[in-house]
Amino acid sequence: MCKRNFLLIFTAFLVAFGLGGCRSLPPSKPSSEWAPQEARGAAVFQAKCARCHYPTSTQPLHGPGLQALTKLKAMPSGAPPTDERLTAVILHGRQMMPGTPLTDDQLNDLLAYLRTL
Ligand code: HEC
């Protein structure tokens, strides 16, 4: 009886931590290694995106967490994370996400930063 309970709990732990931990994402580039453009993009992100998106997690805030966004085959919507799709989402928004007007420089810096996530 006692032994069986232990096995159940042990299995639950394996499922919760063992399997869950397998979904680890490729690591983000540390800020100490950012190129100047990536650092400028991080500032754009802080100003325009951070209130709705976590950059270093996939946990949702108002929108989905963006960790490893450009390293995965598909974004949460299922669209591939190409510069074209990202640019369209950023400038024009998508469903509950408002569009963000940016200059070409800000946009290019932001795309460079998103690729480090
Ligand atoms: C007011 C909150 C808000 C702001 C500000 C915001 N977003 Fe979003 N974002 C959202 C929401 C909500 C979604 C989910 C939209 C949906 O239903 O597909 C989303 C979705 C996304 C997606 C996923 C698109 C897809 O195809 O799955 C990306 C990438 C994204 N946002 C990037 C950004 C970037 C970069 C910025 C800064 C320029 C930004 N967002 C600013 C709320 C926001």
Side-chain angles (χ1 to χ4, degrees):
M1 173 65 185
C2 219
K3 196 172 174 192
R4 188 193 264 166
N5 275 350
F6 173 78
L7 271 181
L8 264 180
I9 291 168
F10 185 68
T11 310
F13 264 94
L14 274 187
V15 170
F17 298 104
L19 297 181
C22 284
R23 288 183 295 137
S24 65
L25 293 164
S28 305
K29 187 171 179 181
S31 56
S32 57
E33 293 172 18
W34 285 345
Q37 184 180 39
E38 292 162 351
R40 288 195 305 271
V44 175
F45 187 92
Q46 283 306 316
K48 309 281 187 183
C49 321
R51 72 192 159 99
C52 292
H53 293 282
Y54 292 122
T56 52
S57 156
T58 54
Q59 292 297 308
L61 187 55
H62 296 297
L66 301 184
Q67 188 195 352
L69 179 74
T70 60
K71 294 164 188 157
L72 303 177
K73 283 209 185 75
M75 299 195 282
S77 66
T82 58
D83 282 0
E84 291 70 30
R85 292 298 297 229
L86 284 168
T87 299
V89 171
I90 291 166
L91 296 182
H92 306 300
R94 203 194 116 77
Q95 297 184 24
M96 295 298 290
M97 172 171 156
T100 305
L102 295 175
T103 65
D104 285 353
D105 283 347
Q106 286 176 319
L107 177 66
N108 288 329
D109 294 349
L110 179 59
L111 289 174
Y113 168 70
L114 292 177
R115 278 185 230 109
T116 70
L117 298 182

